[in-house]
């Protein structure tokens, strides 16, 4: 599959992938995927279950390194820097490319500690006042501040699912990443909590390059400006979200979007 | 119910709605209830049998053992006569006075003082002169004066005072001579006998005389040994578990290591003793009978237990926590030390304390490295000869003297109290650090 991935803006894309193949042992999960991710908008990955969306997303911050059987081929760049190069510091990469997981996974520590953990790891705060400011601004940007400002010392695991997921987003943005990867961040949440997170994604847009994996077509249409459709490990179509949803080039895309399959 | 000739499909076709009130159905339900009731009764019975064994054990140990914490003493009017002691009063006031006093002839003084006991003068313990020395060393001004002191009596008198002999039995079968009984009656009649708490038992070390033997030396030996054990087994065990769970490449080698560790945990403890003897004593040349070698040997023995417990605890930490930490840029080591270990700690500690409790009760491997020694001093360090609590129990239970029976039970009580304390600590720590996610 060799389509032209770079579309639109004069600006350099934040992340680029070229000819990426991923194998789990003998099994190929991603086949020759090339894509650009820009900072200007939210990119959605859609596709039927098992098509490799999570696998590809996890390549972008090298979380696949933790899977013994996984092998990644091809080239992925962050600001024109090969992230799989030997000189790349994985720890720093993951600080620059943050991740929010499908299931909310706060640490069993206080709300404050959850958010402060990343900045502390990377030495982003010089003193307590700095740290307080970082924690407050991260919680504010995650739309959680008003709900938790009086109980920062309570456990992060004692909150509702939607609050926990926003806490995880706050934790991710507290280290001030350049890219945020979200793997089905709303799949465990009710419609109201989902709406809060979608609002939040909209507010974060432009500040971070955001990639979101979703099974919810309406959600992809609401929050993203670019949409990539994956099928059986291949990138079938990547275009403006409006184009994908109103006038897809490929019939496979059209079938999936209209719910005729998948 | 005879098997009907109708084919199955047809029977199913004809089947009407289930009749729950049919007599067979009622009988089935009644049978089920009966079965459940019987099973519960059986479980109760098993529990009662186990509990009564335990209660019986505890009862006999406490019954035999509580007098082990007491000893009988006789009152003696002692005149600290410088001439009898063989010291020069002037020199005692000089610079070397204390040393001089320590070397004085207390056995001679005791012999003289014992005369006042008349017929019972030979009832005092061999080491009773130590009481005289301690009294004078504590207060040198007593020299030349008279003081009233309580000194330990022989084990036979002690046991008589505690009522351990059946005096109505014929003389040749009651285990105590008529002469001793007469001595005891005389002392008691004079009001010179008392039975009180035996501090020396808790602080002292082993002795050939039951009335002088103490458990303190063995307790300290156990403590020193266990400290060595913990200091070696805990870090080694936890680090091995962390490496195996978090960093070891999966494969044949990892499987082999896992298999070996599981096997090691089941190896009879005597074999670790043989290893300790062959390696630490014969090759490395470490001192015999010392807590150092005992501790290392026991550490090898309980390390597999700690590794297994720690691996289970580490495995139980949800992977989502690791992902979360890795996802914001924690290094693998930081993930382990910031998240995995703190969350696994209650489980690791429970396993460790169970291992330590096992080490505390272990005798077989220590036999081989010489901790069976008869040690009359409280150990001064990890390389000094020492014995341990269970070994002391074994040594005393093996002794022919009647007085050691109650000492054996008393030593078991001390061991049990320490075990209970350690298990309580394990439960406390687990509840204290247990966290939910
Ligand atoms: N750790 C792994 N080991 C082996 N195979 C894996 C592993 N993770 C995923 N796969 C396989 O890779 C393929 C892609 O999986 P992936 O999780 O990326 O799909 P997905 O598009 O995210 O699906 P979903 O929408 O259900 O989350 C699947 O066939 C899956 O079985
Ligand atoms: Mg997925």
């Amino acid at each position: 599959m060799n389509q032209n991935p770079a579309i639109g803006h004069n600006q350099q894309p934040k992340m680029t992938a070229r000819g990426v193949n991923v194998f789990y042992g003998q099994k190929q999960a991603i086949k020759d995927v090339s894509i650009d991710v820009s900072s200007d908008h939210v990119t959605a990955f859609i596709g039927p279950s098992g098509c490799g969306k999570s696998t590809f997303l996890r390549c972008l911050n090298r979380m696949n390194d933790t899977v013994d059987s996984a092998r990644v081929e091809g080239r992925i760049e962050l600001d024109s820097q090969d992230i799989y190069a030997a000189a790349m510091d994985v720890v720093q990469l993951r600080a620059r490319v943050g991740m929010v997981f499908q299931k909310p996974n706060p640490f069993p520590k206080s709300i404050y500690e959850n958010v402060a953990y990343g900045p502390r790891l990377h030495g982003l705060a010089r003193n307590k006042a700095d740290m307080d400011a970082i924690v407050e601004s991260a919680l504010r940007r995650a739309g959680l501040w008003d709900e938790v400002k009086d109980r920062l010392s309570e456990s992060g695991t004692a909150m509702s699912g939607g609050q926990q997921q926003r806490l995880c987003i706050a934790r991710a943005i507290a280290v001030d990443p350049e890219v945020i990867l979200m793997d089905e961040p709303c799949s465990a949440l009710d419609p109201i909590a989902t709406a809060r997170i979608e609002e939040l994604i909209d507010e974060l847009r432009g500040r971070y390059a955001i990639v979101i994996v979703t099974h919810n077509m309406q959600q992809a249409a609401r929050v993203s400006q670019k949409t990539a459709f994956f099928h059986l490990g291949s990138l079938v179509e990547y275009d403006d979200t409006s184009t994908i949803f109103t006038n897809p080039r490929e019939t496979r895309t059209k079938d999936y979007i209209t719910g005729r399959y998948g | 119910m005879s098997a009907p000739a109708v084919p199955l499909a047809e029977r199913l076709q004809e089947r009407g709605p289930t009749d729950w009130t049919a007599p067979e159905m009622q009988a089935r339900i009644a049978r089920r209830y009966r079965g459940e009731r019987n099973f519960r009764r059986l479980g109760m019975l098993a529990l009662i049998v186990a509990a009564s064994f335990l209660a019986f054990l505890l009862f006999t140990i406490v019954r035999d053992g509580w007098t082990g914490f007491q000893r009988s003493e006789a009152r003696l009017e002692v005149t600290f006569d410088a001439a009898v002691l063989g010291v020069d009063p002037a020199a005692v006031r000089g610079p070397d006075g204390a040393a001089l006093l320590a070397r004085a002839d207390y056995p001679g003084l005791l012999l003289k003082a014992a005369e006042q006991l008349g017929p019972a003068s030979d009832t005092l313990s061999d080491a009773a002169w130590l009481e005289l020395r301690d009294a004078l060393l504590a207060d040198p001004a007593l020299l030349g004066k008279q003081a009233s002191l309580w000194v330990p009596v022989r084990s036979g008198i002690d046991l008589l005072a505690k009522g351990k002999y059946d005096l109505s039995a014929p003389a040749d079968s009651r285990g105590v001579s008529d002469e001793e009984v007469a001595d005891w009656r005389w002392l008691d009649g004079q009001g010179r006998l008392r039975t009180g708490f035996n501090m020396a038992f808790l602080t002292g070390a082993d002795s050939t005389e039951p009335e002088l033997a103490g458990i303190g030396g063995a307790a300290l030996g156990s403590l020193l040994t266990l400290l060595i054990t913990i200091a070696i087994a805990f870090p080694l065990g936890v680090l091995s578990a962390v490496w195996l769970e978090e960093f070891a490449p999966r494969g044949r080698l990892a499987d082999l290591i896992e298999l070996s560790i599981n096997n090691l945990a089941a190896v009879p403890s005597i074999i670790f003793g043989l290893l300790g003897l062959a390696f630490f004593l014969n090759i490395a040349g470490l001192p015999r009978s010392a807590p150092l070698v005992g501790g290392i040997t026991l550490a090898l023995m309980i390390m597999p237990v700690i590794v297994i417990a720690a691996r289970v605890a580490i495995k139980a930490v949800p992977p989502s926590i690791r992902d979360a930490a890795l996802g914001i840029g924690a290094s693998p080591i930081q993930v382990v030390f910031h998240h995995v270990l703190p969350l696994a700690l209650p489980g690791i500690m429970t396993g460790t304390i169970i291992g330590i409790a096992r080490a505390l009760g272990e005798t077989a491997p220590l036999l081989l490295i010489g901790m069976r020694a008869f040690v009359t001093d409280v150990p001064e360090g990890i390389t000094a000869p020492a014995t341990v609590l269970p070994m002391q129990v074994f040594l005393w239970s093996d002794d022919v003297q009647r007085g050691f029976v109650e000492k054996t039970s008393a030593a078991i009580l001390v061991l049990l109290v320490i075990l209970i304390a350690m298990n309580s600590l394990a439960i406390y720590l687990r509840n204290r650090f247990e966290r939910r996610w």
Side-chain angles (χ1 to χ4, degrees):
Chain A
M1 183 134 322
N2 227 344
Q3 55 186 15
N4 177 20
I7 325 161
H9 299 258
N10 41 11
Q11 210 191 359
Q12 275 274 101
K14 190 71 195 169
M15 295 195 82
T16 60
R18 289 294 176 270
V20 173
N21 293 303
V22 181
F23 301 85
Y24 288 112
Q26 293 300 315
K27 201 172 131 246
Q28 186 163 9
I30 289 291
K31 295 172 193 143
D32 191 27
V33 169
S34 299
I35 197 169
D36 286 358
V37 173
S38 146
S39 295
D40 299 334
H41 36 239
V42 176
T43 307
F45 288 179
I46 60 171
S49 188
C51 68
K53 306 176 297 291
S54 301
T55 300
F56 185 69
L57 195 72
R58 289 164 61 89
C59 289
L60 299 179
N61 68 344
R62 291 186 57 177
M63 280 299 278
N64 276 338
D65 290 10
T66 61
V67 180
D68 284 339
S69 62
R71 199 174 84 246
V72 180
E73 287 174 359
R75 194 175 171 84
I76 302 178
E77 291 177 355
L78 172 65
D79 286 338
S80 315
Q81 231 186 324
D82 183 3
I83 66 169
Y84 280 89
M88 189 71 197
D89 177 28
V90 186
V91 164
Q92 203 194 340
L93 169 73
R94 294 196 189 127
R96 292 172 65 190
V97 183
M99 190 159 205
V100 176
F101 297 83
Q102 176 168 3
K103 237 181 77 203
N105 55 356
F107 299 128
K109 299 183 178 193
S110 72
I111 294 172
Y112 184 96
E113 280 304 315
N114 262 281
V115 183
Y117 180 68
R120 187 170 297 141
L121 269 184
H122 304 296
L124 302 184
R126 248 166 289 120
N127 50 42
K128 177 87 169 78
D130 264 15
M131 186 60 87
D132 289 349
I134 290 175
V135 170
E136 177 173 345
S137 87
L139 285 171
R140 272 191 197 285
R141 270 186 278 156
L144 200 58
W145 177 251
D146 291 330
E147 287 160 67
V148 302
K149 62 170 181 258
D150 300 321
R151 49 188 192 113
L152 289 177
S153 59
E154 278 175 37
S155 172
T157 48
M159 303 196 295
S160 78
Q163 288 175 322
Q164 288 189 16
Q165 194 60 301
R166 277 181 284 150
L167 179 64
C168 292
I169 294 176
R171 183 176 65 189
I173 58 188
V175 292
D176 212 19
E178 296 153 39
V179 183
I180 300 180
L181 310 174
M182 300 186 179
D183 193 352
E184 302 182 47
C186 302
S187 65
L189 305 181
D190 70 18
I192 294 170
T194 301
R196 283 292 292 112
I197 304 255
E198 286 179 10
E199 258 172 58
L200 177 60
I201 292 171
D202 216 41
E203 282 158 27
L204 299 176
R205 172 161 60 95
R207 198 182 162 120
Y208 312 101
I210 296 177
V211 183
I212 176 171
V213 172
T214 178
H215 275 287
N216 181 331
M217 293 306 115
Q218 285 80 15
Q219 183 172 64
R222 278 193 302 264
V223 301
S224 72
Q225 290 74 48
K226 294 271 178 193
T227 296
F229 172 60
F230 286 80
H231 184 225
L232 297 177
S234 305
L235 176 60
V236 176
E237 191 165 353
Y238 179 42
D239 211 327
D240 288 336
T241 300
S242 51
T243 311
I244 293 270
F245 278 91
T246 55
N247 190 17
R249 208 161 10 88
E250 298 269 337
T251 46
R252 277 186 289 174
T253 317
K254 188 167 171 221
D255 287 349
Y256 180 71
I257 293 197
T258 52
R260 225 167 296 161
Y261 120 36
Chain B
M1 282 186 285
S2 60
V6 214
L8 177 73
E10 226 165 283
R11 267 188 292 140
L12 286 177
Q13 280 272 304
E14 290 164 1
R15 206 172 73 158
T18 308
D19 180 10
W20 292 100
T21 56
E24 309 94 90
M25 199 57 103
Q26 293 293 328
R28 240 194 75 252
I29 292 172
R31 211 160 48 238
R32 196 186 74 218
Y33 274 112
R34 211 159 45 239
E36 284 178 15
R37 252 195 324 270
N38 287 340
F39 184 78
R40 238 176 310 188
R41 284 204 196 109
L42 216 60
M44 280 282 261
L45 197 70
L47 192 69
I48 290 171
V49 169
S52 41
F53 271 125
L54 195 67
F56 178 72
L57 183 78
L58 267 180
F59 169 74
T60 51
I61 292 174
V62 171
R63 187 197 57 194
D64 296 342
W66 73 274
T67 50
F69 294 99
Q70 297 180 321
R71 78 171 174 191
S72 306
E73 297 168 338
R75 184 163 47 79
L76 213 55
E77 260 57 63
V78 184
T79 310
F80 288 97
D81 189 343
V84 177
L85 281 170
V87 295
D88 172 11
V92 165
R93 278 186 287 276
D96 297 330
L100 214 59
L101 273 187
R103 282 200 308 270
D105 181 15
Y106 295 99
L109 183 68
L110 181 72
L111 217 58
K112 183 124 189 2
E115 280 166 14
Q116 66 189 272
L117 295 182
S121 64
D122 58 347
T123 56
L124 298 181
S125 169
D126 285 343
W129 60 268
L130 286 170
E131 300 287 326
L132 309 189
R133 187 190 67 179
D134 292 348
L136 190 59
L137 286 180
D139 181 12
L142 279 177
L143 189 64
K145 300 203 185 86
Q146 199 190 43
S148 182
L149 293 180
W150 288 96
V151 297
V153 295
R154 284 189 194 284
S155 180
I157 306 293
D158 179 47
L159 293 178
L160 278 166
K162 287 170 181 169
K164 291 281 177 184
Y165 292 112
D166 178 11
L167 293 180
S168 60
D172 52 350
S173 72
R174 69 182 172 218
V176 62
S177 69
D178 285 340
E179 196 199 335
E180 266 183 305
V181 176
D183 288 349
W184 164 61
R185 290 232 161 89
W186 186 86
L187 274 178
D188 211 24
Q190 295 262 310
R192 281 182 179 271
L193 208 56
R194 73 168 186 193
T195 300
F197 184 68
N198 185 1
M199 199 59 202
F201 178 70
L202 291 186
T203 57
D206 201 4
S207 166
T208 49
E209 306 303 325
E211 75 273 16
L212 302 173
I215 195 70
L220 189 64
S222 274
L223 183 74
L224 291 173
T225 306
L226 289 188
L227 283 181
I228 302 281
T229 304
I230 296 172
I232 292 172
F234 187 74
L236 279 184
V238 172
L239 286 180
S240 310
V242 165
W243 188 78
L244 283 172
E245 273 311 308
E246 303 280 324
F247 302 108
R250 302 266 170 262
R252 209 170 282 249
L253 186 68
D255 289 347
L256 195 72
I257 293 176
E258 168 146 23
L259 188 74
S260 321
I261 288 178
N262 290 347
N263 274 330
L264 219 50
V267 164
S269 56
I270 189 99
I271 292 173
F272 288 95
L274 284 170
L275 174 77
L277 174 67
F279 188 78
F280 301 121
L281 296 188
N282 295 347
I283 297 180
L286 294 172
R288 279 179 74 81
S289 313
L292 178 65
V293 178
I296 301 175
T297 306
L298 292 179
L300 292 181
M301 189 188 83
I302 68 164
M303 210 179 79
V305 179
I306 297 182
V307 173
I308 291 170
R311 287 187 69 178
V312 171
I314 289 171
K315 235 191 277 253
V317 175
S320 64
I321 298 287
R322 294 184 178 86
D323 283 348
L326 285 172
I328 46 174
S331 71
I333 297 290
Q334 286 170 328
V335 173
V336 166
F337 282 96
H338 296 169
H339 301 283
V340 176
L341 276 187
L343 290 172
L345 205 59
I348 295 177
M349 281 196 293
T350 310
T352 305
I353 292 181
I354 289 171
I356 298 287
R358 195 183 141 196
L360 177 66
E362 197 58 67
T363 44
L366 302 181
L367 275 174
L368 289 170
I369 55 157
M371 291 192 88
R372 207 212 143 131
F374 172 67
V375 185
T376 54
D377 292 310
V378 172
E380 274 158 11
I382 56 172
T383 53
T387 190
V388 292
L389 284 170
M391 194 68 78
Q392 191 69 77
V393 170
F394 168 64
L395 289 173
W396 284 348
S397 69
D398 214 23
D399 202 295
V400 289
Q401 291 184 74
R402 174 88 181 241
F404 277 118
V405 173
E406 58 175 24
K407 298 296 169 196
T408 306
S409 293
I412 294 173
L413 280 177
V414 171
L415 185 65
L416 284 181
V417 165
I418 295 178
L419 270 177
I420 289 172
M422 282 177 53
N423 283 329
S424 312
L425 182 72
I427 292 169
Y428 170 77
L429 287 177
R430 199 180 55 215
N431 294 343
R432 172 86 174 62
F433 290 106
E434 200 146 64
R435 270 182 268 203
R436 303 259 127 252
W437 47 73

